[in-house]
Amino acid sequence: MEKPNSGVPTVAITRVSLLLALFTVFTGVQGSIGVNYGTKGDNLPPPEEVAKFLLQATTINRVRLFDASDSIIQAFAHTGIEVTITVPDELIPDLTKLAFAQQWVKNNVLPYVPATNIIRILVGNEILATASKSLIGSLVPAMQNLHTALVNATLDDQIKVSTPHSLGILSSSSPPSTGKFRKGYDSVILKPMLSFLKATNAPFMINPYPFFGCSPDTLDYALFRPNAGVLDESTQLRYTNMLDAQLDATYSALKLLGYEDVEIVIAETGWPSDGDATQLGADTESAAQYNGNLVRHVTSGVGTPLMPKRTFETYIFALFNENQKPGPTCERNFGLFEPNLRPVYDVGILRPKVRISSGGMLVPGRAAVPGYPGPVVNPVSPKPQHKGKKWCLPRTGADPEALQANIDYVCGMGIDCSPIQNGGPCFLPNTIRAHAAYAMNAYYQSKGRNAYDCDFKLTGAFSTVDPSKN
């Protein structure tokens, strides 16, 4: 997590339309919401429960891990949730040896793909802020060797390599048009890194935290509340929230080095629901406002003043309140959920028809999401909804593109799809819906007939009628 840095102005300036679009993570926008899944707590639920909970009760479709825990990676198998894993800082010097990088991939990636949808490997976290010459000097070679190891395993198209940065890498960020990287890092470290990221189609990842940059005068500005905003005189663009300014300052720094076309991903951002008495805005209401407005903004397609009409892949910090994190009180209260899976507050990431009861528990509404087993506090394996056999079929009105994605996913998981190939016994009728029905049901039946195996991001539904007899 980013901490205050004297080299970065504490007041950054931002703009966003207050007419934010509806939350659209599951309606096709590229920007999507993930969470940072930390494990510094002695009361956290088992990874299997966490994976089912996210799949069944929330619209979160991406998870970032701070290590490569085998139990957590395995828990997300067959969920479709995109998983980012991390190489610990202390291993970075070892990764400058290609043989070590290949062995790391062999031990920490190959056993779990394709069952677990690993999309990214991060090399450490905020390494340039460590002031460790050994780590900093080894960072880019380590990233290059990991990519080479993925190439050798034919996984480089699926899994990208990157590393997250604090905003301390900027020597200037206010106004956003003056954003630039610190001297010494810009040409020696960041330019070769950006060349690597561009060549491998990997993102530049940052950890912006308006919470650590706001003052009493800029609290509304940090929380996306109505405010007068500040004009960047160089561009004549007005900023009305701090996050956009931090993103645009980063964009300006990338542009200065000639890499403005590299995608920016928000690896961490969040707001604590509790803190010490001296910490401004560390309360539940402010946390709900920041994260709720964040979700709506980064997925809206509004973009930023310098990056209009863009969405941003964003990971909220954090999934849980972690009672063993060191530091001030706020560090233990960044979670969206308590360890018992009760929401600390609601930011619009619960599934449709899943609501919070008066007691703070998650419960299904009248028309609960198919596959949702009921109350999800300490969830258990879903019970069948019908006696007898069930089939998993596409939901009526499901988008054909989503169904084609289901076919690609299932067939890519090793399920036998030869019957729906040309000449196969189930090729006719030759429609996406018919082929998706075969693939989705084959997946559901082969994975143990769990309700969540027929979810398919809300495009699957159960039938008690054998479709082959229709």
Side-chain angles (χ1 to χ4, degrees):
M1 181 184 301
E2 178 193 6
K3 296 299 187 294
N5 187 296
S6 59
V8 182
T10 57
V11 180
I13 41 182
T14 321
R15 177 180 75 93
V16 61
S17 169
L18 296 178
L19 300 176
L20 296 172
L22 293 175
F23 181 57
T24 52
V25 166
F26 276 83
T27 56
V29 298
Q30 292 181 347
S32 59
I33 297 300
V35 289
N36 287 268
Y37 180 2
T39 57
K40 292 184 178 179
D42 60 8
N43 56 355
L44 300 180
E48 294 81 5
E49 287 189 8
V50 175
K52 291 179 183 179
F53 169 74
L54 292 179
L55 183 67
Q56 296 164 5
T58 80
T59 53
I60 292 169
N61 64 349
R62 300 177 185 236
V63 169
R64 174 192 171 196
L65 309 181
F66 289 94
D67 53 23
S69 165
D70 58 349
S71 62
I72 297 180
I73 295 173
Q74 287 178 328
F76 283 93
H78 311 302
T79 64
I81 293 175
E82 297 183 349
V83 177
T84 293
I85 60 177
T86 301
V87 179
D89 294 1
E90 61 269 18
L91 295 185
I92 293 175
D94 293 323
L95 288 171
T96 59
K97 306 177 186 68
L98 179 58
F100 186 91
Q102 291 173 324
Q103 189 64 43
W104 195 91
V105 168
K106 181 179 179 181
N107 294 342
N108 296 281
V109 177
L110 295 184
Y112 310 111
V113 294
T116 299
N117 187 17
I118 299 175
I119 64 161
R120 194 171 291 137
I121 300 173
L122 302 185
V123 182
N125 185 44
E126 299 186 352
I127 295 303
L128 299 187
T130 65
S132 167
K133 292 183 179 179
S134 174
L135 293 180
I136 293 172
S138 301
L139 183 57
V140 174
M143 295 168 67
Q144 293 169 332
N145 280 343
L146 273 176
H147 174 72
T148 300
L150 292 170
V151 170
N152 292 341
T154 65
L155 289 172
D156 54 302
D157 286 337
Q158 175 186 339
I159 302 174
K160 303 300 179 180
V161 177
S162 189
T163 186
H165 305 279
S166 79
L167 291 189
I169 59 174
L170 299 176
S171 62
S172 174
S173 63
S174 181
S177 60
T178 66
K180 59 183 177 181
F181 295 119
R182 288 181 175 277
K183 286 191 177 297
Y185 291 158
D186 52 358
S187 58
V188 177
I189 304 296
L190 289 169
K191 197 162 188 178
M193 180 187 298
L194 289 165
S195 177
F196 165 79
L197 295 177
K198 183 175 181 178
T200 59
N201 196 30
F204 186 76
M205 305 187 71
I206 58 169
N207 299 342
Y209 277 93
F211 172 73
F212 290 117
C214 70
S215 65
D217 293 337
T218 59
L219 183 59
D220 289 342
Y221 183 67
L223 291 171
F224 300 87
R225 292 172 181 165
N227 65 91
V230 181
L231 183 69
D232 184 333
E233 294 185 358
S234 296
T235 60
Q236 291 299 299
L237 296 171
R238 184 168 295 275
Y239 288 79
T240 57
N241 79 65
M242 191 176 290
L243 180 71
D244 275 359
Q246 293 175 336
L247 291 172
D248 276 0
T250 303
Y251 172 81
S252 295
L254 293 173
K255 186 175 182 179
L256 200 60
L257 293 183
Y259 290 96
E260 67 272 23
D261 53 346
V262 173
E263 179 190 7
I264 296 173
V265 167
I266 301 173
E268 281 184 43
T269 190
W271 199 281
S273 59
D274 194 12
D276 298 324
T278 57
Q279 291 182 305
L280 178 69
D283 57 73
T284 302
E285 180 181 1
S286 296
Q289 286 185 340
Y290 177 78
N291 283 324
N293 288 330
L294 167 79
V295 166
R296 286 185 287 272
H297 180 44
V298 298
T299 62
S300 69
V302 171
T304 71
L306 291 180
M307 296 179 285
K309 299 181 181 179
R310 285 177 62 168
T311 56
F312 295 91
E313 181 183 339
T314 301
Y315 293 80
I316 298 175
F317 188 89
L319 180 55
F320 295 116
N321 283 335
E322 299 169 65
N323 65 358
Q324 293 184 323
K325 289 202 70 177
T329 302
C330 71
E331 292 290 336
R332 293 176 289 283
N333 290 279
F334 271 87
L336 296 174
F337 297 94
E338 299 286 0
N340 65 358
L341 303 180
R342 176 183 297 183
V344 179
Y345 46 83
D346 182 19
V347 295
I349 59 172
L350 300 179
R351 290 276 193 179
K353 305 302 181 183
V354 176
R355 60 184 176 84
I356 303 176
S357 72
S358 58
M361 298 297 185
L362 294 178
V363 295
R366 292 182 181 176
V369 177
Y372 180 72
V376 297
V377 175
N378 296 322
V380 295
S381 297
K383 299 295 190 294
Q385 297 176 338
H386 305 281
K387 294 181 179 179
K389 191 170 182 179
K390 294 186 299 180
W391 289 263
C392 177
L393 303 176
R395 181 181 297 279
T396 301
D399 180 48
E401 289 187 6
L403 296 183
Q404 183 61 57
N406 293 346
I407 295 171
D408 296 340
Y409 173 74
V410 169
C411 297
M413 294 291 289
I415 302 294
D416 181 14
C417 291
S418 60
I420 57 175
Q421 295 174 356
N422 195 359
C426 299
F427 178 70
L428 298 176
N430 182 19
T431 65
I432 291 178
R433 183 174 181 86
H435 291 179
Y438 174 89
M440 293 163 66
N441 186 60
Y443 181 89
Y444 167 70
Q445 302 294 341
S446 69
K447 297 301 178 183
R449 301 185 181 92
N450 298 302
Y452 53 81
D453 287 325
C454 187
D455 184 85
F456 290 100
K457 296 184 178 179
L458 299 180
T459 63
F462 289 115
S463 173
T464 57
V465 179
D466 186 348
S468 66
K469 296 181 180 180
N470 289 344

